Amino acid sequence: MDQREFARYEVVDGVAVITLDNPPVNALAPGMREGLMAGVERAAADAAVTAIVVMGAGAHFVAGADVRQFGKVRPVSTRASAAALEACAKPVTAAIDGYALGGGLEHALACHYRIATARARLGVPEIKLGLIPGGGGTQRLPRLVGPELALDLILSGRQLTAAQGLALGLVDTVVDADGYEALRAQAIAYAGQVAAVRPLPRVGERTDRIAAATSDPAFPASLRKAAPAKSLKLLAGRHALACVEAAATATLDEGIALEQALFNELENSDESRALRYAFSAEREAAKLPGAPVDARPDPVRSAAVIGAGTMGSGIAIAFADSGVPVRVLESSAEALERGLQRIRDTYATRVKRGSLSQPAMDECLGRIRGVMQYEDIADCDAVIEAVFERVDIKQEVFARLDQVMKPGALLLTNSSAIDIDVMAAATGRPGDVAGAHFFAPANVMKLCEVVRGPRTSMDTLMRTMKMGRDMGKTCAVAGSCDGFVANRSRTPMMTELMLMLEEGARPEQIDRVMVAFGYPMGPFAVNDISGLDVSYEGRKRRAAANPDYRKLHVPDRLVDMGRKGQKTGAGWYRYERGDRTPHVDPAVEDIIGTVARELGITQRSFSDEEILQRQLFASVNEACRILEEGKAYRGSDVDAMWLHGFGFPRHRGGLMFWADSVGAATIYRQVSQWHEAYGPRWKPSALLAKVAAEGGQLRELRGQAEPA
């Protein structure tokens, strides 16, 4: 594309207006920086031009770099185009509407003035891609807002509103302008007002905020202390700290040289490749094969949740947080009040820790209403069943919903495993039935696994996906089978965990290995939070249906003893009253030893490598089998599910991306060996064998048939 198409140039009343135009969000694409620089050069050479305005066409300034361009050669860098703005001898004003993120904000920082509309959003989110700002942002931002705040913005990647940006000095003024033409007019007027002001206020030349910070004898130790420990575990976090420190202690040129070297290192790092892949996988998961290209599914404007337990309460909060009125239905006044109190307590905790204001809490609670009659939810656009995981109970619920819900309402189940068609068969409108499987806690975890039954209509699927996205969830489609895609692919991992216990591994060792791999918590500590009884009924159901099912004796015995996790004060670990710190419990060691003796298993020690591989290779093999059966669209969908449903370390990319880093051939050989050693559960997937033989990529696999 010709650079002139990216940067339109016009002169109005002596002000050159450069409009960046790369819809839909003005991502920086090849040719865009060149067009911007050409416009600045043209304005600088025109004696009739006294000032310059840079703005975006449409609803956004610049939403950052095109992620697809990272790792590729770019003829002109953001560093160069930003430097051209700052060096211009005529005042340059950035007029910001919508997103000014990443390279977009870096260009704005290089301008001499910044005005913004109230809807503008400002930030440097590169850390989420394993990168640091690479266009001078690590140097200009500390000079403008101070090193500590700049480091916080870089490490968190959070976005600021225009009002917040004004308070921090990130923008000079917030204007009342709705749309491109209105902002353009205000920007031209503002540029005219500052046209004669000298010297030009170049951010790169500011020293006041740096001097204030470095006057503290504790600097730079105080800066390092301000960085969250979890941020510094990643290379990008450590490099961000080094660059911000350089901004406070070196010249602008020296700092930018360091930024360039460290950015280049990060851009080619495994960490950044994994994070960039994760970003792309999430977006790919939203695409539905077979959906009409021009489809605009109707939004859910009112919702209902059946069941006020932990999951139902969390789903209700997620609806309320997204602005959707929701009714919570329970069969008894006591159960309903418990659920509503749980909701109130959750919001109160947010207010107490400062993540939510009291007025915002009151507004959200005002969207939630408890009811006890099905007729009270009949007019809702969608209803999500979140009752106990028993087939008979769910069938009763769906039969009742079929009787009362308005035509076209989405009839959704939060089941984590049960065949969607079982619920659909209880209704006279199976096309309206689908799964909306949230992960606990539903108001926190970002995954919504949308499950397509054999008779689920495409319209239902599209509307459910939109509902989930509007709730701020990452949505991916699964076909209907036991456990769907997410839990089914994870079940072998959990099985191997339990079997390794019988063979001699211990919960605390396994948790330590997985934390070292990158999980925030180990699987046993997590299981204690979610409750050991959650999967207990599912195991009983599978055992009843399959005489060859390998029972997991240790967790079953713990549940039978009343050890259900933190809620009972003991599970895999024990807990002191009022304290959630897990403590190793000799009683669990005794139970494991007893089960091993009863089964005739000789216990042994495990290496950390075997613990990691036994878990994850089992799930990789099962994910391949799921794709063989056409129960998932893409290997990358599995990654999106693991990232947002199970907290898989994001810097590992996802289960399948990580597996590719090991190599399909290596995994296939090990799975084959364990098949010989442990029997049928380790039978290699035919698809895994095929990818191993062909040297392919597991993350690029496509389902062998459409999920159904």
Side-chain angles (χ1 to χ4, degrees), residues 560-633:
D560 290 339
M561 294 170 62
R563 297 179 65 112
K564 299 178 182 179
Q566 288 188 5
K567 58 188 171 186
T568 60
W572 293 105
Y573 300 97
R574 64 176 179 81
Y575 300 87
E576 303 293 344
R577 184 180 298 275
D579 184 7
R580 295 189 176 187
T581 304
H583 299 279
V584 175
D585 193 342
V588 175
E589 176 92 15
D590 293 342
I591 294 165
I592 294 170
T594 298
V595 168
R597 286 191 296 273
E598 290 174 357
L599 297 176
I601 297 172
T602 302
Q603 296 199 319
R604 62 182 176 86
S605 61
F606 280 77
S607 69
D608 290 355
E609 181 182 49
E610 182 178 358
I611 284 175
L612 180 68
Q613 292 185 350
R614 273 275 294 270
Q615 295 175 72
L616 296 184
F617 286 9
S619 283
V620 170
N621 191 41
E622 187 65 21
C624 289
R625 191 171 288 117
I626 290 168
L627 285 157
E628 274 179 39
E629 297 172 10
K631 299 301 182 181
Y633 285 129

Side-chain angles (χ1 to χ4, degrees), residues 445-683:
M445 298 299 286
K446 284 195 67 177
L447 178 63
C448 178
E449 186 179 27
V450 176
V451 188
R452 180 177 192 167
R455 294 180 282 177
T456 303
S457 72
M458 178 58 74
D459 180 66
T460 293
L461 204 60
M462 291 188 298
R463 290 170 59 205
T464 305
M465 291 282 280
K466 177 171 174 54
M467 179 195 77
R469 290 195 299 272
D470 289 347
M471 295 170 76
K473 304 299 182 184
T474 294
C475 298
V477 173
S480 186
C481 56
D482 192 4
F484 312 137
V485 172
N487 281 339
R488 177 180 163 184
S489 63
R490 191 169 183 257
T491 293
M493 170 183 172
M494 302 309 295
T495 297
E496 294 306 314
L497 283 176
M498 303 307 169
L499 298 185
M500 283 190 288
L501 290 182
E502 296 174 4
E503 296 169 30
R506 289 297 174 262
E508 59 271 22
Q509 181 191 6
I510 293 172
D511 277 359
R512 176 179 55 77
V513 169
M514 300 315 286
V515 169
F517 182 69
Y519 278 93
M521 298 178 68
F524 292 102
V526 170
N527 198 199
D528 273 356
I529 293 174
S530 61
L532 278 67
D533 54 325
V534 171
S535 55
Y536 181 71
E537 287 294 330
R539 291 197 298 272
K540 286 174 61 178
R541 177 171 51 80
R542 293 184 183 97
N546 180 8
D548 297 324
Y549 178 75
R550 174 49 161 98
K551 294 182 179 180
L552 303 181
H553 300 281
V554 176
D556 287 351
R557 202 159 295 187
L558 290 173
V559 173
D560 290 339
M561 294 170 62
R563 297 179 65 112
K564 299 178 182 179
Q566 288 188 5
K567 58 188 171 186
T568 60
W572 293 105
Y573 300 97
R574 64 176 179 81
Y575 300 87
E576 303 293 344
R577 184 180 298 275
D579 184 7
R580 295 189 176 187
T581 304
H583 299 279
V584 175
D585 193 342
V588 175
E589 176 92 15
D590 293 342
I591 294 165
I592 294 170
T594 298
V595 168
R597 286 191 296 273
E598 290 174 357
L599 297 176
I601 297 172
T602 302
Q603 296 199 319
R604 62 182 176 86
S605 61
F606 280 77
S607 69
D608 290 355
E609 181 182 49
E610 182 178 358
I611 284 175
L612 180 68
Q613 292 185 350
R614 273 275 294 270
Q615 295 175 72
L616 296 184
F617 286 9
S619 283
V620 170
N621 191 41
E622 187 65 21
C624 289
R625 191 171 288 117
I626 290 168
L627 285 157
E628 274 179 39
E629 297 172 10
K631 299 301 182 181
Y633 285 129
R634 296 161 285 252
S636 59
D637 288 0
V638 175
D639 286 334
M641 292 182 185
W642 276 62
L643 288 168
H644 291 292
F646 307 130
F648 191 87
R650 193 171 179 84
H651 68 281
R652 305 281 186 182
L655 178 69
M656 304 298 265
F657 185 92
W658 170 80
D660 283 334
S661 73
V662 177
T666 298
I667 294 174
Y668 175 72
R669 284 194 298 271
Q670 184 61 74
V671 167
S672 298
Q673 291 173 16
W674 281 333
H675 182 214
E676 293 181 9
Y678 296 115
R681 76 175 189 272
W682 277 99
K683 181 180 179 180

Side-chain angles (χ1 to χ4, degrees), residues 12 189 213 239-240 244 247 249 256 271 274 283 316 350 374 376 391 438 473 492 513 614 617 650 656 676:
V12 181
H239 282 0
V244 173
T249 58
I256 285 182
E271 186 179 286
R283 279 143 187 81
R350 288 192 198 172
Y374 276 87
D376 292 331
V391 172
F438 295 83
K473 304 299 182 184
V513 169
R614 273 275 294 270
F617 286 9
R650 193 171 179 84
M656 304 298 265
E676 293 181 9

Side-chain angles (χ1 to χ4, degrees), residues 303-313 315-316 319 326-331 336 369 371-378 380 382-388 393-394 396-398 400-401 404-405 410-415:
V305 178
I306 311 297
T310 302
M311 283 302 302
S313 299
I315 295 169
F319 272 120
V326 57
R327 297 167 211 172
V328 182
L329 187 150
E330 260 293 359
S331 57
L336 180 59
R369 179 160 69 94
V371 299
M372 293 180 58
Q373 303 295 326
Y374 276 87
E375 287 74 14
D376 292 331
I377 67 170
C380 291
V383 56
I384 301 178
E385 165 274 309
V387 302
F388 199 64
I393 298 176
K394 291 181 183 291
E396 291 177 11
V397 169
F398 273 85
R400 191 77 182 97
L401 292 175
V404 303
M405 296 304 295
L410 295 174
L411 308 184
L412 308 174
T413 175
N414 183 58
S415 173

Side-chain angles (χ1 to χ4, degrees), residues 211-264:
T214 55
S215 64
D216 182 353
F219 191 89
S222 58
L223 182 67
R224 299 188 192 111
K225 188 175 180 181
K230 65 178 182 180
S231 297
L232 300 184
K233 288 181 180 178
L234 300 182
L235 185 61
R238 297 193 295 274
H239 282 0
L241 174 60
C243 285
V244 173
E245 197 171 314
T249 58
T251 67
L252 178 65
D253 288 343
E254 290 169 342
I256 285 182
L258 176 65
E259 177 190 88
Q260 179 179 356
L262 297 184
F263 180 90
N264 290 344

Side-chain angles (χ1 to χ4, degrees), residues 345-356:
D345 290 345
T346 299
Y347 277 116
T349 298
R350 288 192 198 172
V351 172
K352 185 176 180 180
R353 67 174 181 235
S355 61
L356 189 72

